[in-house]
């Protein structure tokens, strides 16, 4: 007979003998499924949500989460929700392509941060989310996601709008299969408005998301082009709505994004990757 384990959140967990797919997936496959669940959950997940997204029993999820937490791959917040840790993100960013992107973008991100005194983001698209590869933060983390590895739905952030605007039409069609959640009255909540917004982004090569997540803040973003002309990365800044004029930031953000694009196309040797963190600390960005 299977035994029941009671967790701090009061949920009963069947033991390993009740796993719905014993023997069908290797231990590695289960860990990968657990980690993959975070691509669907917006960054912070309960144990039950991880179990559902990973298609694992609760007891298996609890055991694997505990092991990955002890290894340092997950973090547990005060609400009992799990997040991917900086250790996982550092491993991901150590890939050649991601490291090259961050390496070549960093001087320009730092300069924009210095000139504006604002939070600066370097972002990519992952499914329905915008993910922050790098963040130089100047003020409070209003959304909780303004951090390396933070995630937001594409339609609520300026960098997300840029990345969706330059994605394949099939990607936009797929994105619109789910309701567009609005976090404030100013947000985009219907497909027609979003499609019109994306057309404007492509036409002018920038996006403004004013009060989409907080009535206190907005963001401005521009595309970063790959050497082949495709767009997979966006650069943005977060501004305070009562203090800053977003239109005065547009030219500076677009110019910085263009500089990063040129840096990506430049084959000249760049900053030694081993000095990136040192330079960030030296500039007071960590």
């Amino acid at each position: 007979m299977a035994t029941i384990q009671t967790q701090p959140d009061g949920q009963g967990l069947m033991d390993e003998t009740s796993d719905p797919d014993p023997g069908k997936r290797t231990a590695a496959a289960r860990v990968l499924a657990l980690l993959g669940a975070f691509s669907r959950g917006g960054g912070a997940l309960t144990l039950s949500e991880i179990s559902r997204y990973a298609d694992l029993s609760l007891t298996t999820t609890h055991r694997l989460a505990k092991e990955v937490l002890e290894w340092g791959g997950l973090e547990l917040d005060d609400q009992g929700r799990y997040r991917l840790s900086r250790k996982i993100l550092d491993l991901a960013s150590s890939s050649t392509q991601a490291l090259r992107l961050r390496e070549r973008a960093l001087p320009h991100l730092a300069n924009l941060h210095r000139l504006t005194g604002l939070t600066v983001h370097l972002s990519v698209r992952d499914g329905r989310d915008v993910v922050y590869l790098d963040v130089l933060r100047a003020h409070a983390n209003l959304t909780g996601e303004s951090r390396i590895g933070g995630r937001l739905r594409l339609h609520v952030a300026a960098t997300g709008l840029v990345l969706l605007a330059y994605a394949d039409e099939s990607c936009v069609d797929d994105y619109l299969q789910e309701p567009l959640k609005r976090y404030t009255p100013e947000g985009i909540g219907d497909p027609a408005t979003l499609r019109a917004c994306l057309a404007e982004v492509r036409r002018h090569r920038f996006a403004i998301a004013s009060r989409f997540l907080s009535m206190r803040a907005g963001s401005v973003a521009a595309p970063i082009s790959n050497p082949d002309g495709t767009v997979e990365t966006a650069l943005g800044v977060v501004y305070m709505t009562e203090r800053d004029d977003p239109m005065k930031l547009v030219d500076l953000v677009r110019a910085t994004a263009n500089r990063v694009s040129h840096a990506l196309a430049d084959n000249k040797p760049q900053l030694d990757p081993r000095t990136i963190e040192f330079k960030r600390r030296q500039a007071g960005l960590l």
Side-chain angles (χ1 to χ4, degrees):
M1 177 181 296
T3 59
I4 300 291
Q5 302 173 11
T6 302
Q7 297 307 308
D9 59 7
Q11 297 173 330
L13 304 184
M14 299 295 288
D15 73 9
E16 193 67 22
T17 61
S18 66
D19 197 312
D21 63 344
K24 293 183 180 180
R25 282 190 282 185
T26 64
R30 293 182 185 190
V31 171
L32 293 174
L34 181 144
L35 295 176
F38 288 88
S39 68
R40 301 178 55 189
L45 299 176
T46 64
L47 202 64
S48 295
E49 289 170 333
I50 299 173
S51 173
R52 182 167 69 255
Y53 293 145
D55 193 24
L56 296 168
S57 70
L58 278 171
T59 187
T60 298
T61 302
H62 178 256
R63 176 176 57 80
L64 293 178
K66 182 174 182 292
E67 291 178 2
V68 178
L69 185 68
E70 291 174 348
W71 174 71
L74 292 177
E75 297 172 351
L76 187 61
D77 64 24
D78 294 338
Q79 287 73 47
R81 298 171 71 86
Y82 292 84
R83 293 178 180 271
L84 293 178
S85 73
R86 177 65 182 269
K87 184 173 185 177
I88 291 287
L89 298 170
D90 285 344
L91 288 173
S93 66
S94 67
S95 69
T96 302
Q97 183 175 358
L99 184 60
R100 179 175 179 271
L101 173 59
R102 293 182 66 200
E103 170 192 332
R104 300 202 173 201
L106 178 58
H108 307 289
L109 297 178
N111 189 53
L112 182 61
H113 176 76
R114 180 182 60 81
L115 290 174
T116 63
L118 300 176
T119 295
V120 180
H121 293 144
L122 182 67
S123 307
V124 295
R125 180 174 66 86
D126 182 20
R128 298 175 182 272
D129 297 337
V130 57
V131 181
Y132 298 127
L133 290 184
D134 216 339
V135 179
L136 309 182
R137 193 163 60 243
H139 44 64
N141 189 349
L142 297 175
T143 68
E145 297 302 329
S146 181
R147 56 185 176 79
I148 296 176
R151 289 173 175 266
L152 291 170
R153 281 294 186 254
L154 292 166
H155 72 285
V156 302
T159 49
L161 291 173
V162 167
L163 294 167
L164 193 57
Y166 286 91
D168 293 338
E169 188 63 28
S170 61
C171 175
V172 178
D173 292 339
D174 179 70
Y175 191 80
L176 291 173
Q177 294 303 308
E178 292 188 2
L180 300 174
K181 182 177 179 179
R182 297 195 338 176
Y183 294 85
T184 73
E186 303 294 325
I188 298 175
D190 66 274
T193 300
L194 180 58
R195 288 188 184 277
C197 176
L198 299 181
E200 287 295 303
V201 172
R202 289 190 294 271
R203 184 175 299 112
H204 300 294
R205 292 187 68 81
F206 75 88
I208 296 177
S210 180
R211 297 185 172 96
F212 282 15
L213 282 167
S214 166
M215 298 303 288
R216 297 171 53 197
S219 53
V220 179
I224 294 172
S225 298
N226 293 326
D228 63 1
T230 59
V231 173
E232 298 176 322
T233 318
L235 180 148
V237 298
V238 177
Y239 65 89
M240 299 292 99
T241 53
E242 294 184 357
R243 184 191 66 191
D244 305 310
D245 180 353
M247 290 305 300
K248 291 183 178 179
L249 297 169
V250 168
D251 286 345
L252 190 54
V253 171
R254 284 194 300 195
T256 304
N258 287 338
R259 291 188 186 101
V260 176
S261 299
H262 291 314
L264 292 177
D266 188 354
N267 290 322
K268 295 179 181 178
Q270 300 290 311
L271 183 68
D272 188 324
R274 293 170 295 181
T275 69
I276 288 180
E277 294 304 315
F278 171 75
K279 291 292 186 182
R280 288 168 63 90
R281 294 183 186 281
Q282 190 179 53
L285 301 177
L286 285 180

